[in-house]
Amino acid sequence: MILQTLYIIAIVSESITGTLAAGRHKMDLFGVLLIALVTAIGGGTIRDIVLNMHPMTWVKHPEYVLMLCFCSMLTTKIPYFFASLSRLFLMLDAIGLIAFSIIGVNKAIEHEFGFIVCVISGVITGISGGIARDILCNKIPLVFQKELYASVSIVACVLYYCLYFYTPLNADVSVILTLIFGFSFRMIAVKFKLSLPVFIYEDSKKDIDKDSKK
Amino acid sequence: MILQTLYIIAIVSESITGTLAAGRHKMDLFGVLLIALVTAIGGGTIRDIVLNMHPMTWVKHPEYVLMLCFCSMLTTKIPYFFASLSRLFLMLDAIGLIAFSIIGVNKAIEHEFGFIVCVISGVITGISGGIARDILCNKIPLVFQKELYASVSIVACVLYYCLYFYTPLNADVSVILTLIFGFSFRMIAVKFKLSLPVFIYEDSKKDIDKDSKK
Amino acid sequence: MILQTLYIIAIVSESITGTLAAGRHKMDLFGVLLIALVTAIGGGTIRDIVLNMHPMTWVKHPEYVLMLCFCSMLTTKIPYFFASLSRLFLMLDAIGLIAFSIIGVNKAIEHEFGFIVCVISGVITGISGGIARDILCNKIPLVFQKELYASVSIVACVLYYCLYFYTPLNADVSVILTLIFGFSFRMIAVKFKLSLPVFIYEDSKKDIDKDSKK
C-alpha cells in the first residue's frame, strides 16, 4: 500500500522531469511524450524484460500510461511553474529512486531470485529509465556522473533485502526504514556534492588514439 | 493476405532506406547490413520483446533475413539508382509505416490485450525500427522531429482498432480503409510540411546548465 | 568443459577492456562497473532476450557478476599494467569473440533453431556486448569499422555449425578447430589491417541534407 503510493509519486515526478529534459533538446510533442514515458516506466520495463517477469506493470495497468501522458502534456504547458519547484522535484526524485529500488528488489524476491539478482533487479529499476532517456537524447548517461545516484540505489537495495530477510520487521516498516535512510543519504550527497571517484584513463598508444578520435 | 504482401513491401523498402542511411555514416558492409536489418525488422523485434510475444516473425521465417541482406547488398551496388527513386520510397515508407502499425495492433489483439496496449503495440512496430537505427548511427532519433510521423502511426492504430471492433467490416476492408486514410494523412503532412509543435524549454539555473554542457 | 573455461577467460578479458574503454570517457566508478559488465555479459543477455532463452547465464550464476566487478575494480587500480599487456588482450579478445560465437550457436542448437537463427545467435553473442558499450559511451559502434571483427564471428559460427552437424567430429574437437581457424583469421586481419569495404553514400538532395545536418 505504501509502496503503491510511492510508485505513483515516483512515476509522476519522473515523467515531469523527463519532459523538462526533452524540452532542452527541441523535440516535438511526441518525442517529449516518449521521453517522459521512458524516464518514468523504462526502468521497470527493462527489468521485466531482463528477468522475464511478464506481464509488466504498465501492460497490466495501461491507465498509468494515460496518466503519465497527461502529466507530460501539462508540463509542456507550464514548464516554468514545474521548474520553479526544482527543489521539490529533487526530493521527489530521491523518493522515486528509493521506491523504484525497493519495488525492484521485491519483485525479484517474489520470483525467488537470490541476493545478487535481487540487488541487480532493484538497481536496474532505479536507474535504467534515466539511462534510456539519455541515450534517446544522445548524451552520455548522466547517472554515471551524478552525485552518488546509483550508489544510493545499491545501498538501499542491500539494506532492504537484509531488513526483509534477516529481521523480524514487517514489510511496511522495512520500506519506511529503507526510505528514510536512502533519502537522507541522497540528500547529504547532493548537499555536500559527494560523488564517487572518477576513473580517468588516458592512453597515448597509436591504435587506441585512432579509435577515440572517431 | 493483403497484410502479408504489405509487410514484405514494407520490410524491403525499409531495408533499402536503412542501407542508404548507413552509407551516410561511412560504415563497413557488416555495419550497413546490421543497420538495414534493424531498420526493417527492429520495430517488430522490440514489440515482441516488450509484450513477450515469442517466437518473433524473423525467428519463424529466417528466410526474410536472407532476403533483406540481399536487398541491402544490392543497394550498396547501385545506391544512386535507388536514391533517384526517393519519391517512390517516400510513398513505400508511408505504406510501410501504416502496415507495421496495423500488424502491431493485430498481433496485440490476437494476444487479447486491451485498447491502450494495442495502440502502443502498433506504434512500437511502426516507429522503433527507425529509432534503433538512429541510436546505432549516434543521432537524436529523426522520428522526434519529422513531419507527423509517429502521429500518423497513432491515428492509424486507433482507426484500425475502432474499425475492427466497432464496425461490421471484415478485416481486409478495415486494413484497406486504414491504409488509404493513413497514407493520405502522411502525404498531406509531407506536402504541406505539417509537424507537431516543438517543446523548447530553456533554463538558466546553474545546476541544470552544467548538465546540458556535458 | 573447454567452452566453460574459454567463457570465463572471455568475460574476464572483456570486462578489463571494457573498464579501460570507460576510463577514456571520465566516468565514475559505478559507470565503469556498468560498462565493464555490459561489455562482458551484454552480448549473451541480448541474445537470451531476443531468442527468449531464460534464465540467462548470469541469472543462473550471479557469482560471475561479482567476479567481473572485482576484475573491473582491480583494473581501475592498475590500468597501465593491463594496458601494457595490450598485445595479450588483443589475443584474449579474439579468443573471446570465437568462444562467444560458438556458445551462441550452441545455445540456439539446444533450443532447436535452424541454421540462420543459430548463426544470428552466435553473432549477437559475439558482438553486441561491444555495441552496447559504445552506445553507452555515446559513440558509433566500433565494430562497424574494425578489421573484420563481425565477419570473423560470422565465419566461425558457420564453420562450427557445419562441423557440428555435417561431420562425425565430437563437440570438443569442433570447438578447437573453430577456435584455431577463427583465431588465425582474426590475427591475420589485424596484422594486415584487412577490413571490409566501406559503403559511402553521399547525397546532395536538399531534404536529405537537412536531415544529416541535425
Side-chain angles (χ1 to χ4, degrees):
Chain A
M1 197 56 212
I2 296 179
L3 263 189
Q4 184 65 13
T5 314
L6 289 174
Y7 178 72
I8 304 283
I9 294 174
I11 58 175
V12 167
S13 62
E14 293 299 324
S15 74
I16 294 172
T17 55
T19 302
L20 296 178
R24 286 184 208 111
H25 290 272
K26 302 189 174 48
M27 292 183 182
D28 71 19
L29 286 186
F30 177 80
V32 168
L33 215 61
L34 188 72
I35 302 282
L37 288 174
V38 162
T39 312
I41 55 178
T45 299
I46 293 173
R47 175 202 62 215
D48 291 346
I49 289 173
V50 169
L51 296 177
N52 199 28
M53 308 191 288
H54 292 279
M56 39 187 78
T57 313
W58 64 262
V59 172
K60 258 188 299 186
H61 297 284
E63 66 276 14
Y64 288 174
V65 175
L66 286 191
M67 180 186 71
L68 296 175
C69 289
F70 174 78
C71 294
S72 174
M73 287 301 102
L74 186 68
T75 307
T76 63
K77 295 299 163 208
I78 46 172
Y80 294 97
F81 170 71
F82 284 113
S84 72
L85 302 174
S86 69
R87 277 218 154 292
L88 175 64
F89 278 105
L90 193 69
M91 283 189 259
L92 291 177
D93 178 64
I95 293 173
L97 176 66
I98 317 292
F100 281 158
S101 303
I102 295 173
I103 289 166
V105 175
N106 249 339
K107 203 160 177 185
I109 290 174
E110 272 168 37
H111 283 74
E112 310 197 333
F113 289 114
F115 173 68
I116 298 173
V117 175
C118 285
V119 171
I120 293 175
S121 171
V123 175
I124 290 178
T125 318
I127 67 167
S128 55
I131 293 177
R133 176 197 64 211
D134 291 341
I135 289 175
L136 285 175
C137 292
N138 199 19
K139 301 198 305 178
I140 287 200
L142 202 57
V143 69
F144 300 161
Q145 306 169 324
K146 220 167 163 184
E147 305 93 348
L148 294 188
Y149 197 81
S151 314
V152 170
S153 173
I154 296 174
V155 171
C157 291
V158 172
L159 176 63
Y160 179 74
Y161 187 92
C162 293
L163 289 175
Y164 187 96
F165 278 108
Y166 305 122
T167 68
L169 300 171
N170 82 23
D172 276 357
V173 177
S174 301
V175 169
I176 292 170
L177 284 180
T178 307
L179 197 65
I180 293 172
F181 177 81
F183 183 77
S184 318
F185 186 10
R186 172 87 180 117
M187 286 299 116
I188 289 169
V190 171
K191 175 88 182 165
F192 295 102
K193 297 191 186 306
L194 303 178
S195 56
L196 283 180
V198 170
F199 169 54
I200 301 178
Y201 163 69
E202 266 157 29
D203 190 300
S204 57
K205 288 216 170 53
K206 206 184 105 239
D207 54 351
I208 290 168
D209 241 355
K210 220 171 47 192
D211 290 355
S212 60
K213 246 183 264 162
K214 278 177 191 163
Chain B
M1 198 54 212
I2 295 180
L3 264 188
Q4 185 64 12
T5 313
L6 290 175
Y7 178 72
I8 304 283
I9 293 174
I11 58 175
V12 166
S13 61
E14 293 299 323
S15 74
I16 294 173
T17 56
T19 302
L20 295 178
R24 288 183 206 110
H25 289 272
K26 302 189 173 49
M27 291 182 182
D28 71 19
L29 285 186
F30 177 80
V32 168
L33 215 60
L34 188 72
I35 302 281
L37 288 174
V38 162
T39 311
I41 56 179
T45 300
I46 293 173
R47 175 202 62 215
D48 291 345
I49 289 174
V50 168
L51 296 176
N52 200 26
M53 309 191 288
H54 291 278
M56 39 188 77
T57 312
W58 62 263
V59 171
K60 257 187 301 185
H61 297 284
E63 66 275 14
Y64 289 174
V65 176
L66 287 191
M67 180 186 71
L68 296 174
C69 290
F70 174 78
C71 294
S72 174
M73 287 302 102
L74 186 67
T75 307
T76 64
K77 295 299 164 208
I78 45 172
Y80 293 96
F81 170 71
F82 285 113
S84 72
L85 302 174
S86 68
R87 278 218 153 294
L88 175 65
F89 278 104
L90 194 69
M91 282 188 260
L92 291 178
D93 178 64
I95 292 173
L97 175 66
I98 317 293
F100 281 157
S101 303
I102 295 173
I103 289 166
V105 174
N106 249 339
K107 203 160 178 187
I109 289 173
E110 272 169 37
H111 283 73
E112 311 197 333
F113 288 114
F115 172 68
I116 299 173
V117 175
C118 284
V119 172
I120 294 175
S121 171
V123 175
I124 290 178
T125 317
I127 68 168
S128 56
I131 294 177
R133 175 198 63 211
D134 291 342
I135 290 175
L136 285 175
C137 292
N138 199 20
K139 302 197 305 176
I140 287 199
L142 202 58
V143 69
F144 301 162
Q145 306 169 323
K146 217 168 165 184
E147 306 93 346
L148 295 188
Y149 197 81
S151 314
V152 170
S153 172
I154 296 174
V155 170
C157 291
V158 171
L159 176 64
Y160 179 75
Y161 187 93
C162 294
L163 290 175
Y164 187 98
F165 278 108
Y166 304 122
T167 67
L169 300 171
N170 83 23
D172 276 357
V173 178
S174 301
V175 168
I176 292 171
L177 285 181
T178 307
L179 197 65
I180 293 172
F181 177 82
F183 182 77
S184 318
F185 186 10
R186 173 85 181 120
M187 286 298 116
I188 290 169
V190 171
K191 174 90 182 162
F192 296 101
K193 296 192 186 305
L194 302 179
S195 57
L196 283 180
V198 170
F199 169 55
I200 300 179
Y201 163 69
E202 265 158 28
D203 189 300
S204 57
K205 286 215 171 53
K206 206 183 105 239
D207 53 353
I208 290 168
D209 242 354
K210 220 171 47 192
D211 289 357
S212 60
K213 245 181 267 163
K214 276 174 191 166
Chain C
M1 198 54 212
I2 294 181
L3 263 189
Q4 186 64 12
T5 313
L6 290 174
Y7 178 71
I8 304 281
I9 294 174
I11 58 176
V12 166
S13 63
E14 294 298 323
S15 75
I16 294 172
T17 55
T19 303
L20 296 179
R24 286 182 207 112
H25 290 271
K26 301 189 175 49
M27 292 183 181
D28 71 17
L29 286 186
F30 177 80
V32 168
L33 215 61
L34 188 72
I35 302 281
L37 288 174
V38 162
T39 311
I41 55 179
T45 299
I46 293 173
R47 176 202 60 216
D48 291 346
I49 289 174
V50 168
L51 296 177
N52 200 28
M53 308 192 287
H54 291 279
M56 39 188 77
T57 313
W58 62 263
V59 171
K60 260 187 298 186
H61 297 284
E63 66 275 14
Y64 288 174
V65 176
L66 287 190
M67 181 186 70
L68 296 174
C69 290
F70 174 78
C71 294
S72 174
M73 287 301 103
L74 186 68
T75 307
T76 64
K77 295 299 165 209
I78 46 172
Y80 294 97
F81 170 69
F82 285 113
S84 72
L85 302 174
S86 69
R87 277 218 154 295
L88 175 64
F89 278 104
L90 193 69
M91 282 188 259
L92 291 178
D93 178 64
I95 292 173
L97 175 67
I98 316 293
F100 281 159
S101 303
I102 295 173
I103 289 166
V105 174
N106 249 339
K107 205 161 175 184
I109 289 173
E110 272 168 37
H111 284 74
E112 310 196 333
F113 289 114
F115 173 68
I116 298 173
V117 175
C118 284
V119 171
I120 294 175
S121 171
V123 175
I124 291 178
T125 317
I127 67 167
S128 56
I131 294 178
R133 176 199 62 211
D134 291 341
I135 290 175
L136 285 175
C137 292
N138 199 20
K139 302 197 305 176
I140 288 201
L142 201 58
V143 70
F144 301 162
Q145 306 168 324
K146 219 166 160 185
E147 305 95 345
L148 294 188
Y149 197 81
S151 314
V152 170
S153 173
I154 296 174
V155 170
C157 290
V158 171
L159 176 63
Y160 179 75
Y161 187 92
C162 294
L163 290 175
Y164 189 97
F165 278 108
Y166 305 121
T167 69
L169 299 171
N170 83 22
D172 276 357
V173 177
S174 301
V175 168
I176 291 171
L177 285 180
T178 308
L179 198 65
I180 292 171
F181 178 81
F183 182 77
S184 318
F185 187 9
R186 173 86 181 119
M187 286 299 116
I188 290 169
V190 171
K191 175 88 182 164
F192 296 101
K193 296 190 187 306
L194 303 179
S195 56
L196 283 180
V198 170
F199 169 55
I200 300 179
Y201 164 68
E202 264 156 31
D203 190 299
S204 56
K205 287 215 171 54
K206 208 184 102 238
D207 53 353
I208 290 168
D209 241 356
K210 220 171 47 191
D211 290 356
S212 61
K213 244 181 264 164
K214 278 175 193 166

